[in-house]
Amino acid sequence: MERTFDELKLTGRLPSPSAVGLRILKLTQAEDYSQEELCATIQSDPALAGRIIKLANAVLSDGMEPVTSVEKAAMRLGSSTVRTVALGFTLVSDNRMGDCTNFNFDHYWSRSLARAVACSVMSRLKSQVDPAEAFTSGLLCGIGKLALATVHPVAFSKLLRERRAHATREWFAAENRLFAITHSEISSLMLKDWGFPGAFSQAARIFEHDVVRPNDEEEDQAWALVDLLRWSTQIADLCLEPREFENTRWRGLWYGLDQVAHEMQVERDELYHLCDEVARRWEDWGQILCVPTRESLSFVETAVDVEHHRARSRGLWMVPQGEPKAIMEQALDAQTQQGRRPYRVLIVDDDEAVGRVLGHQLEEAGYQVLLARDGDEGLRLAVGEVPHIVITDWMMPGMDGAEFCRSLRQVEAGKKMHILMVTAKDEEDDVVAGLESGADDYLTKPFNAKVLMARVKAGQRLVEMHEKSVEADRLKMQDGADMGIMNRKLAEASHTDPLTELPNRRYAMKRLKQEWERANRTGRPLSVVWIDLDHFKQVNDTWGHDIGDYVLREAAKTIRQTLRQGDTVCRVGGEEFLAICCNSDLKNATTGAERIREALEANEMQFTRFRGHVTASLGIAQRLPTMSSVDDLLKAADEMAYAAKDAGRNCVRGWQGPWRQSRSA
């Protein structure tokens, strides 16, 4: 997968932040960058500066004064958040068109922006996620689609024309066949490549997949982001979809909000108010970024209109809101007393008498029963209550049984339900049409009650088999995940120094070879710093090995904290460390080495009876064209460390001049 991604990068056509965005990325990879430098870089792009200030004001708490400058925005949001948001925004303005004819670039950014705003608003319910970071995650989590549309415009356009559902197993399989990588994997790797937090890339990789967090796993930031992205995608799609009661897709999305409210653990009315805030902010951000949006959709008013529409479509008859719940609770009590697992059956029929008769028979047989008078109400109950079995009539006012089946199968929970269609239509073509609409079984009227119950029990057996299969798959995946964790821990242990918890010499050699090959391919500079603690043997001899171990741990901690983000330090010997400085020439590596030397010298260590400073002699070498392998690079750095010791210790020396092959002989 990473090899395929590297090939995509080599095309030079992947979406990329603007020049300002890239400067921000490069600047913030250094550990010692200042907030003043970051703000000055942002201010060089007035449009970006305005967006940063607006975002800072969007997360105002009560009593806080509005932000009017980039400096204050950075103080309020935090430098890391400003960096993340700035990189996200610069992508929008520079990637608005392309050659992929069937890819709607404006729709892509409009949907991404709606999801970003929804993530920011809904993050109030997730303490692990900062609103500004949630915004950027929502904006960029689908960047892999934009990448495929940009790098492979013809092939991706053809795929878009042939397949309409963009987040199904079939779609991901088709992407894998065509490109040997999926858009979710590309999104994850691009975010990782740009230096975004690991939780961002992990959430981007899995949020569109049918992956559920195990019940025994604590919610970390990545899983919190996954929840936010899934909820926000549903809300974004509702914002974009025209509000038409006869629109099957819109109805499916609307009734899907019941499930979102259930997962968020909020009342539907509260969710509708949050969604109204999303719609308003979406419009505001659309004007700022010149991204098209739709007129604000009032979710609160729509909820009222939906109820009125349902009432008009079915006449005066309405099932009271509390009745389905009451029936379920009574059946649940009965099943609990009998020690059997309750199964829920939803009956959707416009004939009130038929519904009640069927419901009575099923309750007598020990099932929980839900009653719906039409397809709209049936869809709402199916999504909100998630029955195991659905019995639906075909001929109903408004949404008929076939359309109801198709709508239900578009909802994730509906794909797992067993649907039995009951109708007076008995022609062969009717049977075929009913089954093709999504029904699992078909029964013609008039029907025998015993036959109906036998069909229901057969459906129950299929549901049980499916649940057992899902559980078996889950256990298998869990075993695989546990084995993977164990293997990763063993691999990590084999590459980790147990005393300092730094990577060990084995990892250093492996990593250095990888960076050497990458430098050969890209032509980017590569440098190493050999760090040798001064007079460490005296520490051990004078104070004992426990103090020596403490000094090594403290020195390792100081070096790791002083290095730039993206550089790696390893313990390669008793008191010797190696820093691998990617994309760094001799001058930059020397600056970093001097920073390490100063930090070690200034760090006063105190442990039991020991109190003092530790210094180091540092040797630096840059990869040169005449060097044949990493061994040459390490030999040059090692020689410079000895030169530093000869010069009186506590100093830095760098390799100057060419490298002659005879030196490595």
Side-chain angles (χ1 to χ4, degrees):
M1 179 179 70
E2 292 190 355
R3 180 179 177 184
T4 304
F5 178 66
D6 286 339
E7 292 172 356
L8 291 176
K9 288 173 64 177
L10 289 175
T11 66
R13 300 186 63 190
L14 281 177
S16 173
S18 67
V20 171
L22 289 173
R23 286 204 300 273
I24 292 171
L25 179 59
K26 184 176 181 180
L27 171 67
T28 53
Q29 283 177 338
E31 290 291 338
D32 60 346
Y33 76 89
S34 67
Q35 185 164 293
E36 290 75 14
E37 290 177 288
L38 177 61
C39 293
T41 304
I42 292 173
Q43 286 172 336
S44 67
D45 184 340
L48 175 59
R51 295 163 186 164
I52 294 292
I53 292 171
K54 180 172 178 62
L55 183 60
N57 287 321
V59 295
L60 281 177
S61 300
D62 292 337
M64 297 178 70
E65 294 184 0
V67 167
T68 57
S69 68
V70 173
E71 290 80 1
K72 291 182 178 179
M75 291 178 61
R76 178 161 296 169
L77 296 172
S79 296
S80 61
T81 299
V82 169
R83 163 189 176 271
T84 303
V85 172
L87 289 172
F89 281 145
T90 58
L91 274 165
V92 177
S93 56
D94 292 343
N95 296 274
R96 297 292 296 273
M97 60 183 62
D99 299 326
C100 187
T101 54
N102 287 313
F103 185 82
N104 189 327
F105 287 80
D106 278 342
H107 183 272
Y108 167 83
W109 283 118
S110 184
R111 184 175 188 247
S112 297
L113 182 60
R115 179 168 51 210
V117 174
C119 277
S120 177
V121 172
M122 302 301 162
S123 66
R124 300 170 187 169
L125 307 175
K126 292 283 184 181
S127 59
Q128 303 93 328
V129 184
D130 177 84
E133 292 193 346
F135 185 103
T136 308
S137 180
L139 189 69
L140 300 182
C141 63
I143 195 70
K145 287 183 181 177
L146 182 66
L148 287 176
T150 305
V151 178
H152 298 293
V154 177
F156 195 62
S157 181
K158 182 179 179 182
L159 183 61
L160 288 168
R161 185 174 64 250
E162 294 173 351
R163 297 176 178 272
R164 296 185 62 188
H166 294 187
T168 64
R169 291 182 181 179
E170 294 78 13
W171 176 271
F172 287 121
E175 284 184 340
N176 250 326
R177 286 195 300 271
L178 282 173
F179 313 113
I181 195 169
T182 67
H183 70 263
S184 60
E185 292 169 341
I186 296 174
S187 297
S188 176
L189 290 169
M190 288 180 71
L191 294 177
K192 180 181 178 181
D193 191 57
W194 291 336
F196 282 80
F200 278 40
S201 58
Q202 184 179 349
R205 188 178 70 252
I206 64 177
F207 88 96
E208 290 182 292
H209 292 265
D210 189 16
V211 179
V212 180
R213 180 175 65 252
N215 293 330
D216 58 347
E217 181 173 326
E218 293 184 0
E219 182 177 86
D220 58 9
Q221 188 186 29
W223 278 109
L225 275 172
V226 169
D227 288 340
L228 281 177
L229 291 173
R230 288 173 175 171
W231 302 338
S232 300
T233 300
Q234 174 99 357
I235 295 167
D237 287 342
L238 262 174
C239 289
L240 284 159
E241 192 73 19
R243 195 195 82 166
E244 299 173 1
F245 296 109
E246 304 305 322
N247 182 337
T248 303
R249 171 172 165 76
W250 182 87
R251 284 204 305 270
L253 290 169
W254 177 261
Y255 292 134
L257 287 180
D258 287 3
Q259 182 66 22
V260 171
H262 173 73
E263 292 176 1
M264 292 174 63
Q265 299 180 351
V266 299
E267 295 296 327
R268 276 185 293 171
D269 288 343
E270 182 181 352
L271 176 60
Y272 295 153
H273 283 287
L274 288 172
C275 290
D276 279 345
E277 183 179 349
V278 170
R280 290 193 298 271
R281 291 193 177 186
W282 178 48
E283 275 195 285
D284 293 339
W285 276 113
Q287 293 177 5
I288 293 173
L289 300 179
C290 298
V291 171
T293 61
R294 297 181 61 85
E295 182 179 355
S296 290
L297 166 70
S298 172
F299 285 71
V300 173
E301 294 176 5
T302 299
V304 176
D305 292 343
V306 167
E307 291 302 316
H308 289 168
H309 176 78
R310 289 173 52 242
R312 287 194 302 271
S313 67
R314 65 171 178 256
L316 297 177
W317 188 86
M318 292 183 67
V319 176
Q321 289 294 317
E323 184 176 331
K325 286 279 188 184
I327 293 174
M328 286 181 63
E329 291 170 358
Q330 293 170 8
L332 179 60
D333 291 340
Q335 290 286 346
T336 302
Q337 292 172 4
Q338 297 173 24
R340 301 203 314 261
R341 179 188 174 185
Y343 271 80
R344 296 184 296 279
V345 180
L346 170 63
I347 300 171
V348 186
D349 200 309
D350 62 327
D351 190 323
E352 181 181 355
V354 171
R356 289 181 175 174
V357 170
L358 287 178
H360 177 73
Q361 291 175 343
L362 290 167
E363 286 178 338
E364 287 292 317
Y367 293 95
Q368 299 175 15
V369 178
L370 303 168
L371 297 174
R373 190 70 171 81
D374 57 32
D376 283 302
E377 185 178 31
L379 193 59
R380 180 178 65 82
L381 287 175
V383 172
E385 306 296 350
V386 194
H388 299 88
I389 300 171
V390 178
I391 303 173
T392 179
D393 190 16
W394 187 323
M395 304 301 294
M396 294 183 293
M399 182 190 297
D400 63 18
E403 187 179 359
F404 168 72
C405 287
R406 286 191 289 270
S407 299
L408 190 56
R409 292 306 192 196
Q410 291 181 5
V411 181
E412 192 60 34
K415 297 175 183 178
K416 304 171 185 176
M417 300 174 191
H418 183 83
I419 303 177
L420 171 61
M421 184 174 287
V422 180
T423 180
K425 294 185 174 185
D426 57 0
E427 296 294 330
E428 183 178 287
D429 289 344
D430 295 327
V431 175
V432 171
L435 295 175
E436 287 184 344
S437 69
D440 296 295
D441 200 358
Y442 193 95
L443 187 62
T444 58
K445 295 180 181 180
F447 52 82
N448 184 289
K450 291 183 178 180
V451 174
L452 175 64
M453 292 305 301
R455 296 286 181 91
V456 171
K457 290 179 179 178
Q460 178 181 332
R461 288 194 295 273
L462 291 173
V463 170
E464 290 173 346
M465 290 171 60
H466 174 72
E467 289 177 342
K468 290 178 180 178
S469 174
V470 170
E471 179 63 15
D473 288 344
R474 189 191 71 79
L475 292 174
K476 185 177 179 180
M477 290 177 63
Q478 185 63 50
D479 289 342
D482 292 342
M483 183 64 69
I485 292 172
M486 184 180 299
N487 289 337
R488 285 195 297 274
K489 288 182 177 179
L490 289 173
E492 183 178 350
S494 70
H495 289 105
T496 303
D497 172 51
L499 176 63
T500 62
E501 297 184 353
L502 291 178
N504 60 17
R505 185 181 185 89
R506 177 188 295 179
Y507 176 86
M509 297 303 103
K510 179 181 177 181
R511 175 67 183 274
L512 189 54
K513 288 178 181 177
Q514 292 174 345
E515 295 302 334
W516 181 276
E517 292 172 359
R518 182 174 288 111
N520 278 336
R521 291 196 310 269
T522 63
R524 292 179 178 177
L526 171 65
S527 299
V528 296
V529 181
W530 194 278
I531 307 166
D532 195 340
L533 301 186
D534 296 330
H535 304 299
F536 180 73
K537 186 176 184 302
Q538 293 181 13
V539 175
N540 271 336
D541 293 344
T542 304
W543 299 97
H545 288 282
D546 56 338
I547 300 297
D549 289 347
Y550 165 75
V551 169
L552 285 173
R553 286 194 296 268
E554 278 297 299
K557 179 180 177 183
T558 300
I559 296 169
R560 180 170 50 202
Q561 291 176 342
T562 309
L563 280 177
R564 298 180 313 166
Q565 182 179 356
D567 291 346
T568 303
V569 61
C570 309
R571 185 186 178 200
V572 293
E575 66 271 23
E576 295 174 321
F577 301 86
L578 179 71
I580 303 172
C581 305
C582 308
N583 197 23
S584 181
D585 58 17
L586 186 66
K587 179 181 178 181
N588 290 330
T590 301
T591 301
E594 184 62 33
R595 199 164 55 237
I596 293 172
R597 188 199 65 77
E598 292 174 353
L600 285 171
E601 184 181 26
N603 182 26
E604 183 178 27
M605 301 181 186
Q606 185 173 356
F607 183 71
T608 62
R609 62 191 184 281
F610 173 80
R611 181 172 184 175
H613 301 264
V614 172
T615 62
S617 300
L618 299 92
I620 310 160
Q622 178 183 350
R623 171 186 170 274
L624 299 173
T626 52
M627 291 179 174
S628 61
S629 68
V630 296
D631 293 335
D632 291 347
L633 182 62
L634 291 173
K635 184 175 177 62
D638 187 42
E639 288 188 16
M640 289 300 97
Y642 276 106
K645 286 186 180 295
D646 292 341
R649 304 181 188 271
N650 190 25
C651 62
V652 176
R653 291 293 182 269
W655 183 269
Q656 302 292 337
W659 176 264
R660 297 184 300 277
Q661 286 296 327
S662 59
R663 301 189 66 93
S664 61

